[in-house]
Amino acid sequence: MKKYIVYIAVLLIGLLLGWWLFGTPSHKEGEHDHLKVAETRQMWTCSMHPQIMQPEPGDCPICGMDLIPVETAADGLSADQFQLTDNAMALANIKTSIVGTNSGADQSIKLSGKIVENEEANVVQVSYFTGRIEQLNVSFKGEEVKKGQRLATIYSAELYAAQQELITAATLKESQPELYKAVRNKLKLWKLSEDQINGIEASGTVKENFPVTATVSGTVTDKLVEEGDYIKQGQPLFKIANLNTVWANLDVYENQIDLFKTGQDITITTHAYPGKAFKARVDFIDPILDSGTRTVKLRVVLDNKDGLLKPGMFVEGRIQGLETSGGQVLTIPKSAVLWTGERSVVYLKPQPDQPIFEMRDIILGKPLGAHYEVLGGLKRGDEIVTNGTFTVDAAAQLQGKKSMMNKDGSTSMTGHEGHWGTPPIMSANQENYSNPNERITVSVGFQKQLKEVYEAYIQLKDTLVHNDHKAVKDAAQGLMGKLDDMDQTELADTIARTHWMSLENELKLVTSSISKATALKAQRSHFKHLSSPIIHAIQIFGIGEKVYVEFCPMADNNKGAYWLSKEKKVINPYFGGAMLTCGEVKQIIE
């Protein structure tokens, strides 16, 4: 009996304990539901491919690595928005400005061109008779000559015979006046003066050599013969230019043509004379478009009595008071715009007090000096990125958001699809976009200079690999020198020039920060922001050789960072020997 009592007691105690543990289900179920909701909101990504976003853990569909939890985003962010840290903003010197309006009457536009000779004041000095040059009195191009000055002495068998005819005809001028007159006229056609002809007739002596004299005063711009040459009648000997006036030939792109007309005031400047401006008016606009450059020539006549302007000198022209497509126009700085295959985009900062950004497609109108007219996509008061644009775009790509090369934000290139080849960019005609498989065409000279910048970048990267702070500083200064040597005049295309100026500004800013940094850690932080614009530069312009874009997901405190390499082998500049082979090839640019 006691045995059954013990069993019953144990059973009752168990029931009481169970009721105590599980008798308040509402609290526990609520807690369980809360955890379930939190778990449902958790997204998972791949450390190597941040564009992968899945609602549950698993393997990366690209590389097979385990997915990791995505860090909780800032409150209020939409799917297309992303946030940068204050430190990243400072390192990349990201600046923004408010979109405003400017009066069309206040707009100006800058044109590039060069000084050429005034063709209306040019003279080609020719020989009027056949012969041999016995003596040249002009030794070199650039020599100043005066009207009537002897340029050369020529022996002519024809002229020798004509003088003998004159002496003979002079004895018969009473009986055969027509013959006498014809012989004299023949010598006049060979540009012998009345005094020379009378001298030959009076002396009865034939001259073997005759001088060629300048018909105008000016500068010898071309010497076409040498002493001892045999020449023919009418053959050019010299080109002589009067440089008291010169022409400035400026390039106008076809979508700008309607902005200009003859008679407009224009200001010409040149780097040769900083602070000095030459005032003039538009004299002529070429009616024929150059199909190669898609430009027409706008001509300006400049007074040059002081001889300051030299043919071949590069100049810039600025015209004020241009009429635009409307009275009040919305404008943004050119540095804010990124070009894609079919779009022009900017980065908007929707919250003034937060470092939050999102990409915005816009429609551009005409270029207006350092700005573009905006026809759609922005409104007055919007805040956009105007400095550090490429760095912001790189951050968007890393976070799997919409970016310049990733329109949808979820299907960006991983680098596994093959070679990058060429990026989509805008063509020289800003109103017609190029095929997405075309890059901006630039001169071989510019590509060669960009390659030198790339080589200096590689040297800087190698010094980071070797953990040498002093060598990094020296390499950064070397890179800055290569950037300073870049000649923008190699870029005839306005779009190409605009791209490069924006990239160059970022490259110089970050390179300067690297050279000034006092610790290797800071230099590596800046190097991440240096890599972004130089990757874009090589994608857009090319350097004529294969370049590897590599990525380490653990760099910059697991935020990830890119760099360029000349080889497929991964040598990581962000950790030195500690994690030398961490990373993978993401793209191949050719």
Side-chain angles (χ1 to χ4, degrees):
M1 178 63 75
K2 291 182 179 180
K3 182 177 180 180
Y4 290 111
I5 293 173
V6 171
Y7 288 156
I8 293 171
V10 170
L11 179 60
L12 291 173
I13 292 172
L15 290 172
L16 290 172
L17 184 60
W19 177 84
W20 181 75
L21 290 173
F22 303 104
T24 55
S26 60
H27 172 74
K28 293 297 180 181
E29 287 176 5
E31 184 177 347
H32 175 72
D33 290 343
H34 173 75
L35 292 173
K36 186 175 181 180
V37 170
E39 188 175 335
T40 301
R41 292 177 180 173
Q42 178 66 62
M43 298 295 290
W44 300 76
T45 187
C46 175
S47 60
M48 297 295 286
H49 305 99
Q51 73 273 17
I52 299 300
M53 291 287 174
Q54 294 187 1
E56 57 186 19
D59 296 335
C60 174
I62 297 175
C63 64
M65 290 182 61
D66 291 337
L67 298 180
I68 60 174
V70 177
E71 294 182 5
T72 303
D75 292 339
L77 293 188
S78 70
D80 296 331
Q81 293 178 342
F82 59 96
Q83 187 168 3
L84 297 179
T85 64
D86 292 335
N87 185 48
M89 294 274 290
L91 284 173
N93 194 32
I94 295 170
K95 296 180 181 178
T96 61
S97 62
I98 304 298
V99 177
T101 58
N102 292 323
S103 170
D106 294 333
Q107 300 300 331
S108 66
I109 193 167
K110 185 169 67 175
L111 304 174
S112 298
K114 65 180 180 180
I115 297 296
V116 298
E117 302 159 10
N118 183 344
E119 294 178 8
E120 294 176 341
N122 283 358
V123 171
V124 177
Q125 190 77 49
V126 301
S127 173
Y128 297 104
F129 40 82
T130 301
R132 181 182 67 244
I133 298 177
E134 296 292 305
Q135 182 180 0
L136 272 181
N137 298 92
V138 174
S139 304
F140 52 87
K141 292 191 294 184
E143 189 171 340
E144 296 290 334
V145 296
K146 300 293 184 181
K147 183 177 181 179
Q149 178 180 330
R150 179 179 295 206
L151 303 177
T153 301
I154 299 176
Y155 166 77
S156 172
E158 291 180 354
L159 193 55
Y160 189 90
Q163 292 178 79
Q164 291 180 323
E165 290 178 7
L166 174 65
I167 295 172
T168 303
T171 61
L172 302 172
K173 63 181 176 179
E174 296 296 335
S175 60
Q176 299 186 39
E178 294 299 327
L179 174 63
Y180 172 70
K181 185 178 179 180
V183 172
R184 287 183 66 92
N185 287 337
K186 182 179 179 180
L187 292 172
K188 288 179 182 179
L189 291 174
W190 284 338
K191 297 301 180 182
L192 270 67
S193 66
E194 286 283 353
D195 290 341
Q196 287 177 313
I197 296 172
N198 292 335
I200 296 169
E201 183 179 337
S203 66
T205 304
V206 176
K207 294 183 178 181
E208 292 186 355
N209 300 320
F210 271 82
V212 175
T213 58
T215 56
V216 295
S217 298
T219 303
V220 176
T221 58
D222 208 351
K223 177 168 164 274
L224 304 172
V225 292
E226 297 295 337
E227 196 169 284
D229 286 352
Y230 281 87
I231 57 175
K232 296 180 179 180
Q233 185 178 4
Q235 180 176 335
L237 305 177
F238 307 96
K239 291 182 180 179
I240 300 175
N242 186 335
L243 299 180
N244 287 335
T245 60
V246 291
W247 287 351
N249 279 345
L250 305 169
D251 293 321
V252 175
Y253 285 91
E254 61 181 308
N255 63 330
Q256 301 172 327
I257 293 174
D258 64 334
L259 295 173
F260 302 99
K261 58 185 178 182
T262 57
Q264 284 176 313
D265 291 328
I266 185 169
T267 303
I268 302 295
T269 58
T270 175
H271 293 302
Y273 309 108
K276 186 174 180 60
F278 301 85
K279 303 292 184 179
R281 292 179 181 272
V282 176
D283 180 66
F284 175 75
I285 299 175
D286 197 329
I288 300 174
L289 179 77
D290 186 322
S291 59
T293 62
R294 312 304 302 173
T295 62
V296 298
K297 294 295 183 185
L298 180 148
R299 188 171 73 206
V300 178
V301 181
L302 297 169
D303 180 68
N304 192 40
K305 289 184 173 61
D306 295 333
L308 298 178
L309 300 172
K310 318 293 184 185
M313 183 180 288
F314 288 103
V315 293
E316 291 180 345
R318 186 177 293 276
I319 295 181
Q320 302 286 342
L322 294 175
E323 296 180 2
T324 60
S325 56
Q328 289 283 318
V329 294
L330 202 65
T331 62
I332 60 173
K334 289 181 176 179
S335 61
V337 182
L338 297 175
W339 306 110
T340 74
E342 298 178 347
R343 303 169 297 148
S344 48
V345 302
V346 297
Y347 277 95
L348 190 70
K349 190 167 182 275
Q351 301 180 27
D353 57 342
Q354 295 292 329
I356 296 171
F357 302 92
E358 64 180 77
M359 193 191 74
R360 175 72 60 84
D361 286 66
I362 62 173
I363 302 172
L364 295 181
K366 291 181 171 61
L368 301 171
H371 293 70
Y372 282 117
E373 180 183 8
V374 179
L375 302 180
L378 290 174
K379 63 181 183 299
R380 185 175 186 179
D382 283 343
E383 187 174 358
I384 60 172
V385 176
T386 53
N387 192 76
T389 317
F390 286 97
T391 301
V392 175
D393 184 73
Q397 291 186 45
L398 282 172
Q399 297 185 38
K401 302 294 183 178
K402 290 171 64 176
S403 62
M404 180 173 67
M405 309 310 295
N406 179 17
K407 181 178 180 180
D408 299 323
S410 59
T411 57
S412 62
M413 280 191 71
T414 65
H416 297 277
E417 294 86 341
H419 291 198
W420 178 274
T422 54
I425 36 74
M426 192 174 178
S427 68
N429 180 357
Q430 297 170 359
E431 296 175 353
N432 297 296
Y433 293 85
S434 65
N435 184 295
N437 292 321
E438 295 178 357
R439 64 163 37 120
I440 293 181
T441 301
V442 294
S443 68
V444 175
F446 182 81
Q447 283 190 323
K448 183 178 179 181
Q449 293 177 45
L450 183 58
K451 184 177 179 181
E452 292 178 1
V453 169
Y454 165 68
E455 295 285 354
Y457 165 90
I458 293 296
Q459 185 175 352
L460 174 59
K461 184 260 297 183
D462 290 343
T463 59
L464 286 170
V465 170
H466 294 102
N467 300 318
D468 191 335
H469 168 263
K470 177 63 169 60
V472 171
K473 183 175 182 179
D474 292 341
Q477 292 173 349
L479 175 57
M480 183 64 79
K482 294 298 183 183
L483 289 168
D484 288 336
D485 291 341
M486 293 290 288
D487 184 5
Q488 292 185 20
T489 60
E490 291 279 357
L491 297 173
D493 186 295
T494 298
I495 298 301
R497 192 180 302 117
T498 301
H499 268 295
W500 174 247
M501 288 173 65
S502 178
L503 288 164
E504 183 184 42
N505 182 50
E506 289 195 41
L507 287 168
K508 286 185 174 181
L509 185 66
V510 183
T511 302
S512 176
S513 298
I514 294 174
S515 67
K516 294 176 182 177
T518 57
L520 198 61
K521 182 178 179 181
Q523 289 175 326
R524 285 191 166 117
S525 295
H526 290 302
F527 182 74
K528 171 183 175 179
H529 299 293
L530 175 69
S531 296
S532 176
I534 201 166
I535 289 172
H536 280 287
I538 294 175
Q539 287 173 343
I540 291 170
F541 302 116
I543 58 171
E545 69 176 49
K546 185 180 292 186
V547 177
Y548 295 91
V549 181
E550 298 178 342
F551 175 76
C552 173
M554 301 182 69
D556 193 21
N557 296 321
N558 294 320
K559 294 186 180 75
Y562 289 94
W563 73 93
L564 289 176
S565 175
K566 302 185 75 170
E567 56 186 349
K568 192 173 183 180
K569 180 181 179 182
V570 173
I571 303 177
N572 193 320
Y574 293 104
F575 296 102
M579 299 177 64
L580 195 61
T581 60
C582 176
E584 67 170 351
V585 174
K586 299 286 280 185
Q587 297 166 359
I588 302 174
I589 308 172
E590 290 188 317

